[in-house]
């Protein structure tokens, strides 16, 4: 198969009509190029949207209370109620396979009025009362000092961990942060740590402008008692939060005397469900990309097959002479298949190279202009390239099969009569 004379013949045949060969190769190269670009674009969109989830634990749900819509056990419709700290243990006792159950309270926010003061500087920030476990559900990098611990919870320490956005607005560049004090609604909290979150979404800047304090100190300082604003609940690995969220909600309905069929009394947001929808969406987009790319490639393969049929017709006399001299049909068939595979793989490789150059250019452009919403790092994996090469080899065989069958059916005597 790899003897010099055979490859020399392949090159001579394909170079005998350069423009025809180039136009034929273009169809295959264009099909692979489109396939690579579609898959890279889909990956870029997937990366961008998944980045919006940040590092937050995706097997998590958030749960809060709303007014009831049904009367139950003598209690009226429209009743308001609040989760309590003891509800955390109630959930743990009644629902298995839970990794974290974190009660949370919150004050203020960047859309509200100034709620944090330091000296003559002030700002509006989200202030969270939390337990130490929240750092596993909403990961952040502690850049200095430390995060909340259980001693802080037990001793109700008025300490705070601030984001670097808060630090930049309330402190001078070289000013000492750890050990300093900030006032949150008039109550002094000592800063014991700073953090930074990784986020490229539209609210990424605001994610750095949050303050975390111990849940117990928050409740004491801001007169919350045992009330819980909302809960962040994460299931164990291997158990989806979606499969047990109804159990959690039902436990809370029973505990707070809410009608079992009241669908609005307990609000929730299932992050795992939303993440799975994104995964399914991009699985479908990838399938569409493969279908469209392969259909475009198929049109190129048909072109290769048609051209090979024309080439065989032009070489009918040559094939007849070779048959008359004793060359086996198998050898002629191999020659035609090799020519088809050669033109297909070479043109396909060129398509892959141009696709890689295009992706490199797009990434360079994104690096220069900064992050683009919902689009990040378009790329294709090595597996995609290998898949493309396999498609090329199979396509080459398919493109050459019919012409090869036609070639071996040529009868030597009839071929020699052909002018």
């Amino acid at each position: 198969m790899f003897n010099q004379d055979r490859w020399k013949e392949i090159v001579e045949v394909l170079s005998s009509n350069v423009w025809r060969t180039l136009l034929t190769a273009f169809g295959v190269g264009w099909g692979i190029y489109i396939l690579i670009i579609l898959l890279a674009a889909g990956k870029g969109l997937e990366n961008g949207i998944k980045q919006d989830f940040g590092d937050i634990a995706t097997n998590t749900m958030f749960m809060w209370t709303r007014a009831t819509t049904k009367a139950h056990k003598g209690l009226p419709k429209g009743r308001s109620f609040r989760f309590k700290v003891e509800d955390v243990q109630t959930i743990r006792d009644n629902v298995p396979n839970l990794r974290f159950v974190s009660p949370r309270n919150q004050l203020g926010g960047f859309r509200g009025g100034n709620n944090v003061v330091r000296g003559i500087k002030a700002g509006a920030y989200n202030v969270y009362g939390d337990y130490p476990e929240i750092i596993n559900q909403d990961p952040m990098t502690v850049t200095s000092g430390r995060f909340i611990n259980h001693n802080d919870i037990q001793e109700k320490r008025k300490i705070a961990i601030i984001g670097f956005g808060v630090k930049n607005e309330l402190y001078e560049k070289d000013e000492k942060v750890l050990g300093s004090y900030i006032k949150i609604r008039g109550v002094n909290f000592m800063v014991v740590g700073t953090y930074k979150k990784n986020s490229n979404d539209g609210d990424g800047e605001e994610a750095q402008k949050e303050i975390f304090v111990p849940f117990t100190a928050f409740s004491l300082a801001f007169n919350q008692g045992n009330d819980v604003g909302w809960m962040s609940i994460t299931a164990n690995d291997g158990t989806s939060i979606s499969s047990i969220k109804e159990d959690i909600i039902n436990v809370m309905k029973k505990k707070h005397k809410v009608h079992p069929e009241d669908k609005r009394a307990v609000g929730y947001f299932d992050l795992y469900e939303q993440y799975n929808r994104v995964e399914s969406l991009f699985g479908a987009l990838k399938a569409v990309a493969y279908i469209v790319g392969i259909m475009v490639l198929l049109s190129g393969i048909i072109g290769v097959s048609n051209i090979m049929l024309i080439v065989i017709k032009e070489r009918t006399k040559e094939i007849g002479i070779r048959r008359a001299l004793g060359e086996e049909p198998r050898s002629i068939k191999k020659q035609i298949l090799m020519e088809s595979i050669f033109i297909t793989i070479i043109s396909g490789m060129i398509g892959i190279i141009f696709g890689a150059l295009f992706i490199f250019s797009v990434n360079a452009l994104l690096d220069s202009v900064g992050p683009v919403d919902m689009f990040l790092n378009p790329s294709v994996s090595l597996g995609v390239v290998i898949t493309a090469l396999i498609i090329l080899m199979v396509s080459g065989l398919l493109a050459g099969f019919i012409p090869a069958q036609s070639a071996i059916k040529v009868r030597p005597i009839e071929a020699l009569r052909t002018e």
Side-chain angles (χ1 to χ4, degrees):
M1 178 178 284
F2 298 99
N3 67 74
Q4 185 176 354
D5 290 338
R6 188 178 292 277
W7 283 105
K8 184 178 179 180
E9 182 180 352
I10 290 174
V11 173
E12 288 177 353
V13 169
L14 296 179
S15 60
S16 62
N17 192 324
V18 176
W19 282 110
R20 183 173 66 187
T21 301
L22 290 176
L23 291 174
T24 303
F26 177 80
V28 177
W30 181 252
I32 287 293
Y33 176 80
I34 291 297
L35 176 61
I36 295 294
I37 296 302
L38 287 174
L39 291 173
K43 188 64 176 178
L45 189 61
E46 179 180 0
N47 291 339
I49 292 181
K50 284 185 176 180
Q51 184 70 25
D52 288 348
F53 285 92
D55 295 324
I56 194 167
T58 53
N59 197 17
T60 297
M61 67 174 287
F62 307 101
M63 184 173 66
W64 58 92
T65 63
R66 296 185 293 202
T68 61
T69 59
K70 292 178 180 292
H72 186 59
K73 291 188 176 181
L75 297 173
K77 173 183 176 181
R79 172 176 60 95
S80 295
F81 67 102
R82 298 289 298 275
F83 289 141
K84 302 295 181 180
V85 175
E86 52 268 25
D87 290 342
V88 173
Q89 192 58 46
T90 301
I91 291 172
R92 286 199 169 277
D93 290 342
N94 290 276
V95 183
N97 298 316
L98 292 178
R99 187 177 180 187
F100 303 115
V101 182
S102 300
R104 306 192 76 180
N105 278 320
Q106 179 181 354
L107 284 179
F110 67 95
R111 293 184 178 90
N114 291 340
N115 58 352
V116 180
V117 177
R118 183 178 180 274
I120 61 173
K121 296 182 178 181
Y125 308 110
N126 280 313
V127 181
Y128 295 101
D130 275 313
Y131 276 75
E133 290 78 10
I134 197 64
I135 199 170
N136 298 298
Q137 298 169 286
D138 186 9
M140 63 194 78
T141 301
V142 177
T143 54
S144 66
R146 64 177 179 84
F147 195 66
I148 300 165
N149 60 42
H150 283 284
N151 285 333
D152 298 326
I153 297 293
Q154 292 172 4
E155 298 179 15
K156 302 178 182 178
R157 294 172 181 165
K158 292 184 176 67
I159 56 102
I161 294 84
I162 64 175
F164 84 88
V166 178
K167 174 185 172 183
N168 291 343
E169 292 184 358
L170 297 184
Y171 293 81
E172 300 298 331
K173 183 176 181 181
D174 298 323
E175 193 173 2
K176 183 180 178 182
V177 177
L178 300 184
S180 65
Y181 285 85
I182 58 175
K183 282 189 175 182
I184 304 174
R185 286 197 178 176
V187 180
N188 280 316
F189 284 79
M190 185 174 71
V191 178
V192 298
T194 61
Y195 76 87
K196 184 176 181 179
K197 290 184 180 180
N198 297 322
S199 180
N200 284 335
D201 62 8
D203 291 330
E205 182 179 353
E206 298 307 324
Q208 318 304 333
K209 296 181 180 180
E210 298 173 342
I211 300 173
F212 298 87
V213 305
F215 183 91
T216 50
F218 184 103
S219 298
L220 182 65
F222 307 117
N223 197 29
Q224 296 294 312
N226 284 333
D227 288 348
V228 172
W230 46 291
M231 296 189 196
S232 180
I233 305 173
T234 303
N236 287 330
D237 293 341
T239 301
S240 74
I241 193 68
S242 300
S243 65
I244 57 177
K245 67 184 177 187
E246 289 298 329
D247 294 336
I248 298 170
I249 292 170
N250 289 336
V251 166
M252 287 295 94
K253 285 181 179 180
K254 183 177 180 181
K255 174 76 182 298
H256 293 279
K257 298 180 181 179
V258 175
H259 196 287
E261 296 180 4
D262 192 333
K263 302 298 184 182
R264 283 190 51 83
V266 177
Y268 67 88
F269 178 79
D270 186 344
L271 188 60
Y272 181 81
E273 184 178 62
Q274 298 302 315
Y275 190 82
N276 274 353
R277 287 179 181 176
V278 171
E279 289 278 295
S280 300
L281 170 64
F282 287 110
L285 286 178
K286 185 178 291 186
V288 170
Y290 270 111
I291 291 171
V292 173
I294 290 174
M295 292 300 290
V296 175
L297 179 61
L298 182 60
S299 65
I301 297 303
I302 293 173
V304 172
S305 184
N306 287 335
I307 292 301
M308 293 304 297
L309 285 171
I310 294 172
V311 169
I312 288 171
K313 186 174 182 180
E314 292 174 348
R315 297 166 62 193
T316 301
K317 190 169 185 178
E318 172 199 332
I319 293 172
I321 293 172
R322 292 168 64 173
R323 291 289 305 278
L325 293 175
E327 186 171 359
E328 296 182 355
R330 179 183 175 185
S331 176
I332 294 174
K333 185 176 182 179
K334 184 187 294 185
Q335 177 73 25
I336 301 301
L337 288 174
M338 286 181 65
E339 291 174 6
S340 176
I341 293 174
F342 180 78
I343 189 173
T344 302
I345 290 182
I346 293 299
S347 56
M349 288 299 295
I350 293 173
I352 291 175
I353 291 171
F354 274 97
L357 290 174
F358 180 82
I359 294 169
F360 177 81
S361 300
V362 170
N363 277 301
L365 179 62
L366 290 176
D367 289 340
S368 64
V369 302
V372 176
D373 287 347
M374 295 193 301
F375 198 76
L376 177 69
N377 188 29
S379 60
V380 291
S381 64
L382 179 61
V384 170
V385 176
I386 293 175
T387 300
L389 291 175
I390 293 173
I391 291 174
L392 287 174
M393 294 180 66
V394 173
S395 299
L397 287 172
L398 292 175
F401 182 76
I402 295 176
Q405 289 295 108
S406 177
I408 62 175
K409 291 179 181 179
V410 174
R411 296 183 179 181
I413 295 177
E414 294 178 359
L416 292 172
R417 293 175 181 170
T418 303
E419 294 296 334

